[in-house]
Amino acid sequence: MTRIELIPGTLDMLILRVLNGGSTHGWGIAGRIGVLSSEILKVEEGSLYPALYRMEQKGWIESEWGASENNRRAKFYSLTRTGRKQLQSEQKNWDQLVAAIGQVMRAT
Amino acid sequence: MKTLLVRLKALFRRKNLEAEMEEEMRHHLEERTAAHVRAGMPPDEARYAAIRGFGNVDGLKEQARDQWAFAWLEQVLQDLRYALRQFARSPGYTLFVVVTLALGIGSTTAILSAINATILNPLPGRDAERVVMLGERGFVQGREERTGVSPPVLEALQSVRDHFEATTWYESAQIVRKFEDFTTIEVGAWVETEFFDLLGARPLLGRTFLSDEEIVRSGNQPEIDGPIVISHEWWRTFFSGSPEVLGRQVDLGGRRFTVVGVMPAHFRFPNEGVNYWLPAKPERLRPGILRAPNTSVLIKLKPDGMPSQVDVILKGVADRLMSDHPSEVRGYGQWWGLRPNGLQLWHSPLRVHFQDGSGSEELQRTLFGLLATAAFVLLIMCANIANLTLARIERRQHELSIRLALGVGRARLMRQLLTESAVLGVLGGIAGIAVAGAGLRLLATFNTLPRLRPLEVDFRVLGVALLISMSTGPLFGLLPACRVGRLELHRSLARSVSGAVSGMRQFSFRAGLVMVQVSLTVVLLTGAGLMLRSVVKALNVDPGFDPSNLLTIHLNFGGAQRRAPTESADRAAMIAHRNSVLAQLVERYREIPGVKAAGLFRAHYPAENAVLETDGETVEVLRAYTGMGEASYFRTAGIPILAGRAFGREDIGVHSSAVVVSELMASACWPGESAIGKRFRTARVGSTKIAPEIYEVIGVVGDVQPRGFNEHVHPTFYRAIDESTLTGMSPAVLVRTERDPRALIGTLRAVLKATDPDMMLPHITIARQVLFDATKAQRTYRNYLLVFGSVALVLSAVGIYGSLAYSVARRTKELGVRLALGAGRRHVLALVMRDGAGPIGVGIVAGCVGSVWLTRFLTSQLFEVSPLDPFAMAGAIAFLLSVALLACYLPARRATRINPIAALRTE
C-alpha cells in the first residue's frame, strides 16, 4: 500500500469531515484520517498544524484545552456551525469535481 | 470579525499562545513516540523517529506565528523605535524641525483662534445666534444712523416682551469719581438686571444682579446706594486682586456701592473700557424732557423664532408709537417726524452688530489680510520642512542604500520614513499647542476690542495646521527617496568617492526649494510691511484740528428750557435767554485759570442744499454755528484758516451774511476758483423753496474729523451766531486747557451749574480719547501684524539659514580638496558665496515679481499706501540678503579654516 500525497486543498475538507464525527486533538485527527483511508492518505504535521491554525482563524473550527486519553493536556478541536456549512459546500464541490473528472477519464 | 479578535488576542497575549503551541507540539510528539514504542521500537529510537517524522518544528512555529501576527502593527512599532533612535542620534535636525513646526502651527493657530473669538464667533454659548440687538433708525448730521432706543420705545418694547425668550437693555454710564482732589469720569454701564444672563456671561467671583436691586437714576446719575459688579481691571487696580473683594465699597458720583461680583478679564462688553456695571431702572418718561436714543436693547429669540417675526413685531411697535406721539406736538413725535420715514426700528444679530461695530468692513478686510499672512506662514513652514527633510535623506543615503541592498523592500523603507515624519509632526504639534497658548495670551494683552469670550485655542484650526505640516515632510521627503532606491545604489555604497559628485540631483531640487522659500518670504514680508505702513498712516492721520488738551462739553438745556413754547414771542424770548446763557458760560470758562481758550459750536441737521448764486447749482452741505465770540471756535479747536479770514466783530450776529466754508465745500461748490466773495442761498433738501438769506464767503477753513480718521466728512459752512432755532442738536463748548483737561472737569461743571442751575449734567468728552478709541481696530490689527510678522521673519530666517548652511557644510570635503590643491582661501569663499547667490538671487527676483502681482489684492486694505510702495519691498530684500549672506559666509568660513586633511576625512 503506497501512500499517496494529499491533493493540495483537500486537507481542509478532510479535517472538517473528521471533526464532524466528533472533536479531537491534532494527533487524533492525523490518526483518524489514516485509519479512515486505510493508511493510504498520510498527513504531515507540517501541513496539519498550519491548516488547523488557519481554519481556526477563519472560524471553521474552535479549540479548547482538555485531557487526552492518557490524561495529558491536549488541545481539542471541534467543528463550528460555519465549519459545518463549509464542509457541506466543499463536499458538494468535491463530488461534482470527481464526477466530472471520472466522466472525462471514462470517455472513449 | 472572529479573525480580528484572534489576531488582537495574538498581539496581546503572544507569550501565552506561544506556550500553548509548544505544549500542543509536545503532546503530538509524545503520542507519536508512544505509537512507535507500541510498535516495538526502543524508547530512544522511538523518540528520534518521532522527531524526524514530525518535521521542522520551528518552521511550523514560524508558519503558525505568521497566521497570528498583526504583522503591520508590529512593524510600525519597530519603525517607531527606530525613528526615535534616529532622532536621538541627530538632535540638531530634530530640534530644527520641531521648532519650525511649533512656530508655524502655533502662530497660525493663535492668530486664527483670536480672529475666531473676536470677529467670527464673538459670542459664547450655543444660543449665540438667537441674541439680537434692536434700535431706532436715527438721523445724525444728515445721515441715517443706527442708534439705540429712546425711553418711549423702551417702554413700548416691554409690552411685547412675551414674544421673545428674554429682553434686556443697557446704556453707557459716565459717573464722576473723586479721589484726593482729582476728579475723573469713570466709564461703565447701566444694565438691566437680566443683562448678564441673556449674554450667558458668568462672573469670576460673586454674582450678578438680582431682579429687585435696581438703582434709581436721575439724568444717568445714581440717586441711591446699591450693588455694583466690577471689571477685572478694577479688581486688580483697586483691590489688588484680593479674594476678599466681595462686600467692599466703591464710591461713585457721591454714592456708595457694594461690590457683589467681579467679571472675568475677557468680558469687555459693551465696550472695551467698561469698568463697572450698575443695575438700572428704565428712565421715567418725563413730559417735555427728550432723551437721546442711547439705550441699546438686546433680545433673545425663542428657539423657533424667526427674524421676519421680529420685523413684524417691531413694525407694530413703531406704528403704535407714531400714533401715540403725533408729530405736531413737541416731544418725541416731533423728533421722529423729522426723520424721512418716521420712527423705524432696526434689528440684527448681535454677532453681526459686533463685527460691524468693531470697525465695520475694516475688520472684514483685516481678516482677509491676516488669513493671507497665515497662509504664507504655513507655506514657508512647509518649504522649511521639505528642505530639512531632503537634506536629511541625502545624509542618510548611505544607510538607506545598504538597507535596500539587504532586501528591506522600498515600501518598507518608505513606511519607515513616513513614520519618522509622523512622529516629528506629532512632536511639533504638541509644541505648537504650547506656542499657540502663549501666543494667544500675548494677543489678549494687545487686543483692544470689546469681547465676550476668552481667547482660546481653536482645535479645528490646530488640526488643520497639524495635518498640513504632517503631510509636508512625507510629500517632499519621499519624492527623492524614491529615486534614492532606484539609481544611486552602487554610487551611494561607494561612499568614499562621493562628495560633490553624488547627490547633485538632489541638490538642485533643494536649490529649487531654497528659491521657493526666499520668494515666499519676500512676498510675505512685503505684504506685511505694506499693511503695517498703512496702519501706521491711519493712526497718524491729521484730524484737521489740534486735539491736545481739548475738551468738548455737550450741553443739555434743562428745566423750563426743555419745553419749547408755541408762541413765537415766547420762542424768541427763549432763544434770547439761551444765547445769553451761552455767552456768559463761554466768558466764564475763559476766565478759569488753566483754560487757554473756549469756543461754542453747534452743528445742524438735516443737511441742506446750498444754492450757488453763480449758476444756481446745488450742493448738499451742513450748517454749523460757532457762537458770538470772534473766531473763538476755530482758534480753540486749532482749525487752520486756509484762505480769507475768520469771523471779525462785524461778522457776528444773525444779521450778518458772512460765512466761513470748509475746504471740502469750497472745492465742491467752486472748484478751481477762490471761494472768497462767492455767494449762495440755502434750501431744504427735497424742497424748491429757497430761503431769502444770502450768504457771502469770507474765509475757508480746513475739514475736521473729530470722531476718527475714517469719519465721513461733509461740506460745512459756519456762521457766527449762537442760536436761532430751538430744535436740532444741543450746543457744545470746546475748552482747551493748559494741562491735563481732566483736572478741570469738576470746575467746569461747577461753573456751568452756577451759570444755569437748570442745565442738565453735560456730557464731556476728551478729544484725544475719542480719536484714540476710533482706532482701536487698527491698533489691534497692527499689533497682530507685528507679532505674526516677527514669527514669519524668524521662521524664514531659520529655514533659509538652515538649508544654505547645510549645503555649504556638505561641501566641506570638496572645499578641503580645493584647499589642498592650492586654491586660495578667499577664492574658495568667493566660490561658495557665488554658488549660494544663485538660488537666492533667483528667489528674490521671483519674490519681487510675485509681490508686485499679489499685493494688488491688498489695495482695499491699504490706507494711503500704494501696493507698489518700494520701502516695504526694499526692507524685505535687505533682510533676506543679510540672512543669506550670513548663511553662506559663516559655514564657508568654518570650512576653510579646517585643516584640509581633516576636511578630506569628514564624511
Side-chain angles (χ1 to χ4, degrees):
Chain A
M1 272 184 306
T2 48
R3 291 187 160 191
I4 306 175
E5 290 248 342
L6 266 186
I7 301 177
T10 53
L11 178 59
D12 288 4
M13 187 175 61
L14 292 174
I15 295 177
L16 287 172
R17 180 72 180 89
V18 163
L19 287 178
N20 197 25
S23 61
T24 179
H25 46 67
W27 170 250
I29 295 174
R32 286 225 86 203
I33 292 180
V35 163
L36 286 177
S37 66
S38 310
E39 301 301 328
I40 295 187
L41 294 177
K42 171 160 165 53
V43 184
E44 298 284 340
E45 282 80 352
S47 352
L48 176 66
Y49 280 101
L52 282 174
Y53 296 144
R54 191 178 55 238
M55 292 199 295
E56 185 171 8
Q57 287 239 353
K58 291 202 193 136
W60 296 345
I61 60 179
E62 52 192 4
S63 63
E64 204 179 29
W65 282 94
S68 73
E69 307 83 28
N70 336 13
N71 246 343
R72 280 232 191 68
R73 222 163 89 86
K75 204 173 191 182
F76 283 78
Y77 293 92
S78 52
L79 211 59
T80 62
R81 211 179 29 189
T82 329
R84 222 173 294 270
K85 273 193 234 148
Q86 182 68 20
L87 172 61
Q88 283 170 353
S89 96
E90 289 211 24
Q91 180 129 34
K92 200 164 82 173
N93 288 346
W94 176 254
D95 290 337
Q96 285 179 339
L97 185 65
V98 166
I101 295 177
Q103 264 185 296
V104 170
M105 295 309 286
R106 270 182 263 116
T108 44
Chain B
M1 186 58 195
K2 191 133 194 275
T3 321
L4 194 68
L5 284 174
V6 170
R7 288 202 176 191
L8 277 174
K9 182 177 164 200
L11 191 67
F12 294 119
R13 298 182 47 225
R14 172 48 70 76
K15 281 217 199 82
N16 250 354
L17 286 171
E18 293 261 330
E20 284 186 3
M21 189 164 60
E22 283 277 350
E23 185 143 8
E24 197 172 2
M25 301 295 172
R26 216 174 334 122
H27 168 250
H28 195 116
L29 208 59
E30 281 172 6
E31 292 287 348
R32 223 179 219 278
T33 314
H36 281 305
V37 166
R38 275 200 297 274
M41 271 197 208
D44 295 337
E45 254 190 69
R47 193 155 170 81
Y48 284 143
I51 291 175
R52 248 181 295 128
F54 202 89
N56 179 11
V57 180
D58 285 316
L60 279 181
K61 289 193 184 162
E62 202 51 55
Q63 279 195 26
R65 279 203 205 97
D66 277 343
Q67 289 298 331
W68 292 338
F70 232 164
W72 67 267
L73 190 61
E74 295 205 336
Q75 288 185 328
V76 165
L77 284 171
Q78 207 176 16
D79 286 342
L80 269 174
R81 264 172 286 163
Y82 188 75
L84 287 173
R85 259 198 310 231
Q86 288 289 345
F87 296 153
R89 228 186 289 158
S90 45
Y93 164 78
T94 315
L95 199 68
F96 248 71
V97 173
V98 171
V99 165
T100 306
L101 278 173
L103 277 180
I105 297 176
S107 61
T108 353
T109 307
I111 288 276
L112 294 181
S113 304
I115 292 179
N116 190 37
T118 52
I119 303 176
L120 292 177
N121 289 313
L123 305 183
R126 259 174 286 137
D127 307 333
E129 280 303 305
R130 288 197 274 141
V131 178
V132 170
M133 185 175 254
L134 308 175
E136 299 178 23
R137 285 191 211 271
F139 222 63
V140 177
Q141 289 203 333
R143 304 183 77 224
E144 191 185 277
E145 216 183 62
R146 288 183 161 192
T147 65
V149 301
S150 42
V153 178
L154 186 62
E155 200 172 296
L157 283 173
Q158 298 295 330
S159 64
V160 294
R161 52 190 307 162
D162 292 331
H163 291 273
F164 309 120
E165 188 176 302
T167 314
T168 191
W169 51 267
Y170 59 91
E171 295 173 8
S172 90
Q174 291 179 320
I175 306 182
V176 166
R177 187 171 68 87
K178 287 193 186 50
F179 82 102
E180 289 140 31
D181 16 282
F182 195 66
T183 311
T184 51
I185 299 180
E186 299 287 7
V187 171
W190 287 105
V191 301
E192 193 259 351
T193 47
E194 304 271 304
F195 172 76
F196 295 103
D197 296 331
L198 191 141
L199 286 174
R202 284 205 303 253
L204 189 64
L205 291 177
R207 60 174 178 86
T208 56
F209 300 123
L210 306 171
S211 56
D212 51 359
E213 284 182 318
E214 298 143 337
I215 295 177
V216 178
R217 308 179 276 163
S218 149
N220 229 15
Q221 300 295 309
E223 295 262 299
I224 57 173
D225 298 350
I228 188 172
V229 170
I230 62 174
S231 69
H232 199 262
E233 189 61 36
W234 258 25
W235 179 43
R236 266 195 331 175
T237 324
F238 297 133
F239 299 104
S240 327
S242 139
E244 307 291 317
V245 63
L246 301 179
R248 302 265 295 268
Q249 313 265 325
V250 174
D251 284 329
L252 278 178
R255 295 272 147 213
R256 188 150 273 209
F257 298 98
T258 317
V259 177
V260 298
V262 178
M263 292 307 285
H266 64 261
F267 187 76
R268 299 183 198 178
F269 191 78
N271 47 52
E272 152 225 351
V274 62
N275 288 314
Y276 57 85
W277 294 266
L278 291 170
K281 259 188 154 65
E283 280 260 1
R284 278 174 295 130
L285 264 182
R286 279 185 286 197
I289 297 185
L290 298 183
R291 288 202 65 224
N294 291 329
T295 313
S296 307
V297 176
L298 291 175
I299 57 172
K300 193 169 194 180
L301 298 176
K302 292 202 170 136
D304 49 356
M306 306 251 315
S308 51
Q309 290 175 341
V310 182
D311 276 330
V312 171
I313 296 171
L314 291 183
K315 180 122 185 20
V317 166
D319 288 342
R320 210 167 346 123
L321 279 169
M322 290 281 279
S323 64
D324 286 348
H325 295 253
S327 60
E328 56 277 5
V329 171
R330 310 277 177 251
Y332 291 105
Q334 184 192 39
W335 205 351
W336 297 332
L338 284 175
R339 300 177 189 173
N341 296 317
L343 174 65
Q344 282 190 316
L345 301 175
W346 59 269
H347 66 94
S348 79
L350 184 59
R351 176 179 54 82
V352 173
H353 182 86
F354 227 68
Q355 294 165 345
D356 286 346
S358 28
S360 61
E361 328 98 31
E362 300 267 336
L363 266 186
Q364 305 276 356
R365 289 178 286 168
T366 304
L367 188 64
F368 174 71
L370 283 174
L371 277 178
T373 317
F376 269 93
V377 168
L378 275 178
L379 276 175
I380 292 182
M381 176 189 76
C382 290
N384 280 8
I385 295 190
N387 219 330
L388 282 172
T389 317
L390 275 178
R392 183 126 165 81
I393 289 184
E394 245 178 78
R395 275 250 282 298
R396 295 171 62 187
Q397 254 183 50
H398 189 53
E399 166 222 336
L400 292 175
S401 315
I402 291 186
R403 290 179 76 192
L404 272 176
L406 285 177
V408 161
R410 230 184 10 254
R412 180 74 203 273
L413 210 62
M414 302 284 221
R415 207 170 47 205
Q416 164 73 45
L417 295 172
L418 252 177
T419 316
E420 286 183 18
S421 299
V423 170
L424 279 178
V426 168
L427 285 176
I430 295 175
I433 294 182
V435 170
L440 273 175
R441 266 193 295 268
L442 188 67
L443 290 175
T445 59
F446 285 153
N447 191 306
T448 52
L449 301 172
R451 276 185 292 137
L452 282 171
R453 56 191 284 186
L455 294 186
E456 48 192 18
V457 173
D458 184 334
F459 283 97
R460 290 170 298 178
V461 175
L462 185 73
V464 169
L466 203 66
L467 209 69
I468 296 180
S469 56
M470 274 178 53
S471 36
T472 319
L475 202 68
F476 287 96
L478 294 187
L479 282 170
C482 302
R483 294 184 304 188
V484 164
R486 222 166 299 172
L487 301 165
E488 319 286 316
L489 208 54
H490 58 285
R491 263 205 264 160
S492 321
L493 282 175
R495 193 91 177 105
S496 53
V497 196
S498 71
V501 181
S502 88
M504 254 331 214
R505 209 170 302 170
Q506 277 97 328
F507 181 68
S508 46
F509 192 68
R510 284 193 40 240
L513 268 181
V514 171
M515 271 189 257
V516 169
Q517 274 173 293
V518 170
S519 43
L520 278 178
T521 311
V522 168
V523 175
L524 174 64
L525 289 182
T526 311
L530 284 175
M531 289 194 281
L532 265 173
R533 284 203 70 198
S534 150
V535 169
V536 167
K537 279 235 165 109
L539 288 177
N540 293 330
V541 154
D542 177 15
F545 64 100
D546 178 8
S548 44
N549 293 337
L550 190 68
L551 276 177
T552 311
I553 305 169
H554 302 273
L555 305 173
N556 283 306
F557 284 104
Q561 298 292 323
R562 268 295 176 182
R563 239 166 283 119
T566 42
E567 291 295 311
S568 62
D570 294 335
R571 294 168 69 98
M574 182 174 267
I575 291 175
H577 174 85
R578 282 193 181 183
N579 280 347
S580 91
V581 164
L582 289 173
Q584 260 186 50
L585 188 63
V586 175
E587 204 49 52
R588 288 195 188 170
Y589 275 164
R590 284 208 198 100
E591 285 162 12
I592 298 177
V595 170
K596 271 168 80 168
L600 197 66
F601 174 79
R602 210 187 91 171
H604 263 256
Y605 77 90
E608 308 166 51
N609 272 334
V611 183
L612 307 182
E613 190 190 53
T614 41
D615 46 11
E617 288 248 328
T618 57
V619 174
E620 199 170 294
V621 298
L622 271 189
R623 178 195 295 258
Y625 294 156
T626 62
M628 304 287 243
E630 302 168 22
S632 49
Y633 167 66
F634 300 121
R635 215 181 311 131
T636 311
I639 299 175
I641 299 179
L642 301 172
R645 57 188 176 80
F647 298 118
R649 194 156 303 172
E650 66 279 9
D651 305 314
I652 297 177
V654 187
H655 305 286
S656 160
S657 64
V659 295
V660 170
V661 299
S662 73
E663 193 180 0
L664 191 58
M665 177 164 174
S667 57
C669 296
W670 305 281
E673 339 168 28
S674 160
I676 313 293
K678 295 282 189 298
R679 291 196 162 126
F680 65 93
R681 297 157 75 184
T682 57
R684 285 186 77 167
V685 173
S687 142
T688 45
K689 189 165 141 241
I690 306 179
E693 296 95 348
I694 302 180
Y695 299 117
E696 183 173 330
V697 179
I698 61 162
V700 180
V701 293
D703 297 305
V704 290
Q705 291 172 297
R707 293 205 289 188
F709 72 96
N710 52 358
E711 183 186 353
H712 186 84
V713 181
H714 300 265
T716 313
F717 72 93
Y718 302 88
R719 290 190 64 202
I721 59 177
D722 288 332
E723 193 92 349
S724 67
T725 66
L726 292 171
T727 53
M729 298 195 62
S730 312
V733 180
L734 261 67
V735 174
R736 189 182 295 279
T737 58
E738 307 260 341
R739 304 251 170 80
D740 188 354
R742 280 178 290 203
L744 287 177
I745 288 180
T747 320
L748 292 170
R749 276 224 180 99
V751 169
L752 179 64
K753 205 76 176 164
T755 315
D756 182 3
D758 287 333
M759 202 170 296
M760 295 178 56
L761 199 72
H763 176 60
I764 304 185
T765 58
I766 302 172
R768 270 244 185 272
Q769 192 67 43
V770 173
L771 285 180
F772 188 71
D773 289 343
T775 58
K776 55 183 185 233
Q778 277 63 35
R779 276 177 289 120
T780 309
Y781 186 26
R782 175 199 62 194
N783 297 333
Y784 278 15
L785 265 180
L786 280 174
V787 170
F788 215 20
S790 325
V791 169
L793 263 176
V794 171
L795 259 184
S796 321
V798 161
I800 294 177
Y801 184 92
S803 359
L804 284 176
Y806 175 71
S807 312
V808 172
R810 277 206 60 195
R811 299 172 69 183
T812 311
K813 188 179 291 183
E814 173 210 344
L815 297 179
V817 169
R818 287 180 190 262
L819 283 173
L821 289 179
R825 206 150 252 152
R826 220 174 285 170
H827 174 85
V828 170
L829 260 173
L831 173 72
V832 170
M833 306 282 269
R834 227 180 322 130
D835 283 344
I840 294 171
V842 175
I844 290 184
V845 169
C848 291
V849 169
S851 12
V852 165
W853 182 65
L854 284 173
T855 52
R856 200 174 347 138
F857 296 111
L858 280 180
T859 323
S860 63
Q861 291 210 35
L862 299 178
F863 181 79
E864 286 185 23
V865 174
S866 143
L868 300 177
D869 190 273
F871 287 113
M873 210 184 298
I877 296 178
F879 168 75
L880 272 168
L881 277 178
S882 34
V883 169
L885 225 73
L886 269 177
C888 288
Y889 181 70
L890 285 179
R893 211 167 76 118
R894 209 177 329 131
T896 57
R897 286 261 173 93
I898 305 180
N899 186 344
I901 307 288
L904 280 169
R905 284 215 213 100
T906 57
E907 274 289 82

